[in-house]
Amino acid sequence: MNNIICACGHENPEGTVLCGNCGRPLTKEAKNQKLADMRYEGTARRSQTYNKSIIDKIWNFFSSVKIGITIIVAILVAAAIGTILPQVLYVPATTEADIAAYYERVYGTFGKIYYELGLSDLYGSWWFQTLIGMLGISLIVASLDRFIPLYKSLKKQRTKRHESFMKRQRLYAQGENILGENSLAKSEEKLKELRYKVTREDGALLAEKGRFARWGPYVNHVGLIIFLFGVMLRALPGFYVDETMWIREGETRAIPEAPGFYLESKEFILETYDKATEDEVFGEAIDRVGTIASNYQTDVVLYKKPEEALPGQTDDLKEVKKESIQVNHPLKFEGYSVFQMDFRLDELKTMHFKLSNKASGETLGDLAIDLVNPETSYDVGKGSKVELLGYYPDFSGFENGEPQTKSPVPNNPAFLVKMFTPETPEGETSFVAIKQTVEPLGDNEFKLEFQNVDTRDVSGLTIRKDKTLWILALGGLLFMIGVAQGSYFNHRRIWIHESTEGHLVVAAHTNKNWFGVKKELDQVTEAAQLPPYIDQHDTEGQELKEDGEKSS
Amino acid sequence: MTLVSISSNLLFVAFVCYLIATMFFGGAVKVSGSKTSASERRWGRIGIIVTIVGFIANLAYFITRWIAAGHAPVSNLFEFTTAFGMMVVGAFILIYFIYKTPLLGLFALPIAIIIIGFASMFPRDINPLIPALKSYWLTVHVTTAALGEAILAISAVAGLIYLLKNVDITKKTKQRFWLEAVMFTLVLVLGFVASTTTFSVMDYEAKFNYVDKEQKEKEIIYNTPPIFGMNEFEALTPGTMTPLAEMPSIVNAKKLTTVTWSLLFGTVLYVLLRLITRKSISALLKPFAQKANSQLMDEIGYRAVSIGFPVFTLGALIFAMIWAHEAWSRFWGWDPKEVWALITWLFYAAFLHLRLSRGWHGEKSAWLAVIGFIIIMFNLIAVNLIIAGLHSYA
Ligand code: HEM
């Protein structure tokens, strides 16, 4: 590696723009600029120093802010495209075929194309995830590339800088030293009052404050990296549980993915705002919109199975706690959260029938069939019984003479029964549904007559456990600390030199908020009667802009 | 008088104060051309005092409505947009005390006025909260996000002033075109206010049956003459206009009609303005902006972004994630509103990086600030109205 030896004798690594010791411009480009590029203190960054091996090339690619911005904009555009039509997650269809059909039916040809291009699941697509991954890499590489050299150079800055460095600062003054020997002392006093840290070295003064603000971007990028890392972790098994369960009133069920825990639903409650009892201020809104729900709630009891219990044994469950799960108030235990997400009202629970003689209308007895756990045989009394040959909880019609069920949920229960009475000891077969009775083996003497049903509500709950949450929280916190540090504080420096001819040279730099540093410099200028400074940016804005465009 | 009507009156007081303050800021800018900068300061001081009085009335509106409703008034489009307008004024006051520029007020207040006027066109009754919104996170998340957006909006105001001053409108350029397009958009918002007010004064109402995209029969009430009819519509109110065209079921023809009326009214307004003044709106406003210090406007634009960005991140992303985790069991769900908050955030991140390392100062930076504001308004309004997600308000 060829070091660059500055006129002051200091050795600088290849790629350095401003001498680390005196601040003289070292490259031809820097010498031609009227204002110094102070972004990384003119230090050599790896990306500007090496460009030979493939690793150098990759490093340089990801360390470029231009590439970083391109990635950010690409993610932005992709994210926007994903909001044109609802994503599959929000579409009321589950199978691939249904989903495809849904997009075409509802959104026409555009919907079909959108679906075919995979835009309907954009955020889960490999290329979108790749973009996010590239953002992460870019963040890491760009931060490392800059942080170390910046840290070194800010740590060992010299108080005395070369004339050419001073001249290239945006705020610059040169002129008569009115107070003579006292100038620096007066300046120091004022600067300390303004809470600058002041160092002096034969005839030179450096005042600095808010250097820590310079680390803000690095802190926030580390936060972002940690956050992205946390998001990645959830793809690994064991870090993330996402299950749903439907539980009926009165039921006790094992909680999926939470071994040993059981949940009993006591009651599901749906409440709506009522104009009569609520505050009258809501009257108009209720009139306009109609019914407005005020609460979805499942009252539950959480149980734990004792350690020593046998698998499958559920009769000695220990109550852990009673709670009302509401929207915004999940049940929490041992890292799990159970959320109120959905409900179904009035699911059929028990069906009541009457066994009667078709001709006389005489009733032989009643029976009640539990639709979740039906029995195989029901004793009706008076020597009669009904046997259940088949149960079709969600009856959808006959296929080849066989009754079919759409789902195991008792939406439209139907039964194939055999009725035994003293008069018909060999039994009569009948098919019974809510609105329909079929007698497949010829006319019967008896019939099973539907009476009524008992219903209950079902709660849809989501079970989450997320071991990455603290990582995400840490990332978010660091990000916030970093942005606040970088945004609400500025790194300001003021240099004052006594030159040999009885002149003073003043220069000032800040990484942002020039208005603020100018106000402070005004005060120092007044207190120490420094020469009036000029803002070189006002007249030479064009150059600064161009130099920004060249480097990346 | 009930608390609700006291609250409405306070909002009206604030609105009027902002109008008056705008005139004082206008006065301050007008006199500053001459050497009497003392008189500029006097006008500017009165302007900011009236603004603060208005802001206090505005806050009082917010608090009284909060007390009346029992929850922070940020739960429907009217409430949220009004709160946003209020915070734009708040953000302006904050920036004013840093930079003391009456010129900023001359542009920031009219924008706040337009926002509040726009908000008032939506149903103003107090909604009871649906279960998903019943959480103190509603207050925390929405107010912080709106505050962040309001501060970011100030950067657009500074950007607009910068552009009005620096874009050469004597030549036919892309910049001139787009600047006037931004002005035209602002006039369209006035068109929306004008058309909605006109038809609501007329008590216009037309009821229709229609078939929605799930093939269900539904009923809808238009408050403007129906230019576009809903899918398979059937008029129920006799004597009203017959829609000129029927829309397929995925298009909400009622909203399309509202937009069309706003366009019509806005365009007429714009054409009238141009005919009467014989100038483009940019040309009309340029003399005011001419007094701006470009350097200062650029600085304010950047400062507003660097103050607003962390606040926006905290409110619109971090608090939003925490709440989503409590309410919907996941901290992120790719809901359109969420995605647009992310887009806004990415946009400002790109803005900061472009400025920092690509040297996008001055005009480029000003354009970005204006585009950022457009994205914010898109998320605020269009996403709620066009793309219905979990966030769609009653
Ligand atoms: C969404 C993702 C990102 C966010 C939110 C973000 C945020 C920020 C913020 C707030 C700053 C400070 C800006 C200022 O003070 O005006 C910053 C600076 C910076 N960012 Fe990022 N950034 C992101 C991605 C990236 C990427 C992908 C790169 C990679 C090239 C990058 C490279 C930089 C650099 C080089 C700086 C300047 C550091 C310095 O001057 O010391 N950022 N970033």
Side-chain angles (χ1 to χ4, degrees):
Chain A
M1 204 164 81
N2 304 321
N3 284 348
I4 309 171
I5 300 173
C6 176
C8 71
H10 186 74
E11 260 187 61
N12 295 287
E14 188 181 346
T16 307
V17 182
L18 303 176
C19 172
N21 182 33
C22 66
R24 275 191 185 85
L26 296 178
T27 61
K28 217 182 188 170
E29 240 182 32
K31 282 177 191 154
N32 290 332
Q33 283 165 0
K34 297 231 169 77
L35 286 175
D37 178 1
M38 293 288 289
R39 270 182 304 130
Y40 306 104
E41 305 292 305
T43 54
R45 291 186 276 135
R46 189 188 193 285
S47 62
Q48 319 246 294
T49 314
Y50 305 95
N51 192 14
K52 291 198 188 74
S53 69
I54 180 90
I55 293 182
D56 296 340
K57 296 234 156 74
I58 294 174
W59 181 274
N60 296 353
F61 178 80
F62 282 112
S63 86
S64 151
V65 178
K66 195 164 145 191
I67 296 297
I69 297 170
T70 312
I71 297 171
I72 294 177
V73 173
I75 294 175
L76 185 160
V77 171
I81 292 172
T83 62
I84 299 175
L85 294 184
Q87 294 284 301
V88 272
L89 204 66
Y90 296 104
V91 160
T94 41
T95 67
E96 239 4 80
D98 283 354
I99 293 171
Y102 180 88
Y103 277 98
E104 188 165 3
R105 176 165 57 81
V106 179
Y107 302 105
T109 316
F110 180 73
K112 189 177 153 80
I113 297 171
Y114 196 82
Y115 175 80
E116 297 287 336
L117 289 176
L119 302 179
S120 51
D121 188 19
L122 189 148
Y123 308 116
S125 67
W126 64 268
W127 60 269
F128 190 75
Q129 311 253 340
T130 306
L131 277 177
I132 306 270
M134 285 171 70
L135 181 78
I137 297 172
S138 178
L139 275 165
I140 295 172
V141 173
S143 301
L144 284 180
D145 192 50
R146 290 162 174 84
F147 176 75
I148 297 159
L150 182 64
Y151 179 80
K152 281 192 195 148
S153 93
L154 282 179
K155 187 140 175 120
K156 53 162 217 270
Q157 346 171 18
R158 297 299 142 96
T159 308
K160 189 148 183 90
R161 293 298 179 113
H162 189 251
E163 184 85 12
S164 58
F165 173 87
M166 302 286 280
K167 218 193 267 169
R168 284 182 171 78
Q169 295 304 316
R170 178 171 155 181
L171 300 185
Y172 176 70
Q174 192 213 18
E176 206 185 332
N177 185 353
I178 297 169
L179 298 182
E181 307 246 295
N182 278 334
S183 284
L184 291 191
K186 271 261 186 283
S187 302
E188 178 172 356
E189 191 185 322
K190 187 75 201 170
L191 283 162
K192 280 194 168 148
E193 201 183 301
L194 294 170
R195 290 202 231 143
Y196 278 83
K197 257 173 66 188
V198 180
T199 49
R200 278 172 70 174
E201 188 187 307
D202 63 288
L205 175 154
L206 164 63
E208 183 179 19
K209 79 174 179 191
R211 188 198 288 177
F212 81 103
R214 293 291 286 273
W215 314 129
Y218 303 94
V219 175
N220 86 42
H221 289 166
V222 169
L224 280 175
I225 293 164
I226 292 176
F227 188 91
L228 288 176
F229 174 75
V231 173
M232 249 169 54
L233 268 191
R234 16 177 76 222
L236 300 179
F239 278 97
Y240 186 53
V241 169
D242 176 12
E243 291 287 333
T244 53
M245 75 191 274
W246 288 93
I247 186 167
R248 301 172 173 88
E249 284 171 330
E251 238 179 1
T252 303
R253 299 184 77 109
I255 301 178
E257 296 290 328
F261 284 101
Y262 289 77
L263 207 60
E264 177 186 0
S265 165
K266 289 284 185 198
E267 191 182 2
F268 173 78
I269 300 169
L270 165 66
E271 287 166 315
T272 56
Y273 289 98
D274 178 5
K275 242 177 94 174
T277 55
E278 281 304 323
D279 225 334
E280 57 176 324
V281 290
F282 299 142
E284 273 174 53
I286 296 174
D287 282 343
R288 195 166 54 79
V289 186
T291 333
I292 302 175
S294 70
N295 186 24
Y296 306 121
Q297 171 176 335
T298 307
D299 289 343
V300 295
V301 185
L302 176 71
Y303 297 102
K304 190 172 174 148
K305 189 157 71 175
E307 300 281 323
E308 64 283 359
L310 298 167
Q313 183 184 343
T314 57
D315 39 10
D316 56 352
L317 294 176
K318 285 221 170 57
E319 180 176 322
V320 181
K321 60 177 157 182
K322 283 197 174 70
E323 204 160 295
S324 300
I325 306 179
Q326 290 177 320
V327 178
N328 274 309
H329 298 283
L331 161 72
K332 293 187 177 170
F333 63 95
E334 294 197 8
Y336 293 92
S337 307
V338 181
F339 298 87
Q340 173 67 51
M341 291 301 279
D342 206 346
F343 59 89
R344 282 200 303 264
L345 293 180
D346 303 328
E347 187 184 278
L348 304 180
K349 177 176 183 251
T350 327
M351 270 174 107
H352 297 273
F353 292 95
K354 179 165 91 177
L355 183 65
S356 56
N357 188 315
K358 272 160 80 176
S360 66
E362 178 203 352
T363 302
L364 298 178
D366 296 319
L367 70 157
I369 303 180
D370 182 329
L371 295 170
V372 177
N373 294 307
E375 282 161 37
T376 47
S377 174
Y378 293 86
D379 190 356
V380 184
K382 293 189 197 159
S384 306
K385 68 169 183 177
V386 173
E387 270 180 17
L388 221 57
L389 302 181
Y391 170 42
Y392 314 95
D394 199 357
F395 176 62
S396 58
F398 292 95
E399 221 169 83
N400 303 327
E402 284 285 317
Q404 303 292 319
T405 182
K406 251 193 320 213
S407 72
V409 183
N411 290 328
N412 181 26
F415 310 91
L416 190 61
V417 293
K418 204 157 186 184
M419 304 168 284
F420 298 89
T421 65
E423 283 149 71
T424 53
E426 63 286 357
E428 289 177 329
T429 308
S430 173
F431 180 79
V432 194
I434 290 182
K435 285 187 209 137
Q436 187 181 14
T437 304
V438 180
E439 297 176 347
L441 305 177
D443 270 355
N444 295 338
E445 274 180 52
F446 291 90
K447 68 170 178 186
L448 208 51
E449 219 176 310
F450 169 68
Q451 296 292 297
N452 58 354
V453 288
D454 297 335
T455 61
R456 56 184 169 181
D457 302 333
V458 195
S459 308
L461 305 176
T462 290
I463 297 98
R464 284 285 160 116
K465 176 170 185 161
D466 195 340
K467 284 192 192 158
T468 67
L469 275 187
W470 69 272
I471 303 178
L472 302 180
L474 177 71
L477 181 70
L478 272 181
F479 180 83
M480 278 318 299
I481 292 174
V483 267
Q485 183 180 343
S487 306
Y488 299 148
F489 300 90
N490 329 120
H491 178 216
R492 297 175 183 171
R493 273 173 297 175
I494 296 175
W495 295 268
I496 306 175
H497 291 176
E498 284 171 334
S499 69
T500 38
E501 309 91 57
H503 274 190
L504 275 182
V505 182
V506 182
H509 179 77
T510 179
N511 62 337
K512 61 177 65 168
N513 187 6
W514 290 87
F515 186 80
V517 76
K518 278 183 195 171
K519 278 210 298 208
E520 287 180 344
L521 189 54
D522 284 340
Q523 291 184 47
V524 182
T525 303
E526 194 183 295
Q529 300 188 33
L530 304 178
Y533 64 89
I534 50 164
D535 181 344
Q536 307 202 66
H537 189 47
D538 256 346
T539 49
E540 300 173 67
Q542 207 46 41
E543 270 93 354
L544 190 83
K545 206 168 108 193
E546 276 165 15
D547 87 46
E549 270 159 16
K550 259 180 259 146
S551 51
S552 57
Chain B
M1 230 186 338
T2 64
L3 203 53
V4 182
S5 59
I6 293 175
S7 172
S8 301
N9 290 338
L10 283 166
L11 182 61
F12 185 69
V13 171
F15 190 84
V16 173
C17 284
Y18 297 156
L19 278 173
I20 297 171
T22 306
M23 288 178 224
F24 278 102
F25 285 130
V29 173
K30 256 224 139 74
V31 297
S32 73
S34 56
K35 276 164 239 126
T36 53
S37 75
S39 110
E40 175 194 352
R41 247 179 283 135
R42 197 161 49 244
W43 283 80
R45 195 175 319 125
I46 299 173
I48 194 71
I49 288 170
V50 178
T51 309
I52 291 171
V53 170
F55 186 68
I56 290 169
N58 210 337
L59 270 178
Y61 142 82
F62 193 77
I63 294 164
T64 45
R65 192 171 166 104
W66 188 331
I67 295 169
H71 58 82
V74 288
S75 68
N76 61 28
L77 205 51
F78 160 71
E79 291 179 338
F80 178 73
T81 315
T82 308
F84 175 64
M86 173 174 88
M87 289 182 193
V88 169
V89 178
F92 158 69
I93 294 173
L94 173 83
I95 300 281
Y96 184 90
F97 278 105
I98 304 179
Y99 293 100
K100 304 270 177 354
T101 43
L103 184 58
L104 198 65
L106 181 60
F107 286 83
L109 286 181
I111 299 232
I113 289 169
I114 293 178
I115 291 170
I116 295 173
F118 171 84
S120 310
M121 297 300 115
F122 293 94
R124 296 172 65 168
D125 34 56
I126 295 183
N127 297 75
L129 292 183
I130 56 166
L133 294 182
K134 278 188 170 175
S135 165
Y136 58 84
W137 284 108
L138 169 71
T139 317
V140 176
H141 155 61
V142 180
T143 49
T144 322
L147 182 64
E149 291 177 337
I151 302 171
L152 293 171
I154 295 298
S155 112
V157 174
L160 206 58
I161 298 173
Y162 186 99
L163 292 175
L164 279 170
K165 170 162 181 178
N166 291 291
V167 169
D168 182 356
I169 56 168
T170 59
K171 290 204 203 78
K172 208 172 162 188
T173 57
K174 268 203 307 248
Q175 284 88 334
R176 184 180 83 165
F177 172 80
W178 286 112
L179 186 58
E180 190 63 12
V182 170
M183 299 297 158
F184 179 64
T185 317
L186 290 176
V187 177
L188 287 188
V189 180
L190 294 180
F192 169 75
V193 174
S195 64
T196 313
T197 313
T198 309
F199 295 122
S200 86
V201 167
M202 286 165 55
D203 258 337
Y204 194 93
E205 200 178 288
K207 220 190 243 182
F208 291 91
N209 271 339
Y210 72 101
V211 178
D212 80 352
K213 65 175 192 235
E214 305 297 343
Q215 307 299 323
K216 290 206 190 76
E217 280 242 357
K218 290 222 170 115
E219 203 178 87
I220 194 165
I221 299 173
Y222 281 58
N223 302 102
T224 54
I227 300 177
F228 298 101
M230 302 290 286
N231 184 39
E232 298 179 32
F233 67 85
E234 183 196 332
L236 298 179
T237 318
T240 52
M241 172 179 158
T242 316
L244 304 178
E246 181 183 322
M247 290 288 116
S249 60
I250 51 162
V251 177
N252 184 332
K254 178 184 169 182
K255 287 172 183 171
L256 187 63
T257 301
T258 309
V259 171
T260 311
W261 277 116
S262 314
L263 272 170
L264 285 173
F265 271 69
T267 310
V268 169
L269 210 65
Y270 180 78
V271 170
L272 279 179
L273 264 172
R274 291 207 63 158
L275 285 178
I276 294 167
T277 61
R278 310 196 150 272
K279 274 185 188 153
S280 66
I281 301 200
S282 319
L284 223 54
L285 295 176
K286 198 174 175 74
F288 294 102
Q290 213 59 47
K291 312 246 165 73
N293 176 342
S294 303
Q295 194 65 46
L296 186 63
M297 285 305 141
D298 186 54
E299 169 109 21
I300 293 176
Y302 179 39
R303 196 84 196 281
V305 174
S306 59
I307 297 175
F309 185 73
V311 180
F312 178 80
T313 311
L314 189 67
L317 292 173
I318 295 188
F319 289 159
M321 288 190 212
I322 297 175
W323 187 19
H325 180 75
E326 289 292 302
W328 295 321
S329 83
R330 82 286 182 289
F331 69 94
W332 192 261
W334 297 108
D335 173 75
K337 191 100 184 171
E338 271 169 16
V339 175
W340 276 94
L342 177 69
I343 290 173
T344 312
W345 184 72
L346 289 172
F347 178 85
Y348 282 100
F351 175 114
L352 288 173
H353 289 90
L354 282 168
R355 196 173 162 107
L356 205 76
S357 68
R358 315 287 305 157
W360 281 31
H361 295 254
E363 193 174 322
K364 282 179 179 165
S365 172
W367 280 114
L368 287 180
V370 172
I371 295 170
F373 182 64
I374 293 171
I375 296 178
I376 288 176
M377 293 318 284
F378 182 83
N379 194 13
L380 202 72
I381 293 151
V383 173
N384 275 351
L385 295 181
I386 302 171
I387 310 172
L390 295 171
H391 279 81
S392 52
Y393 296 117

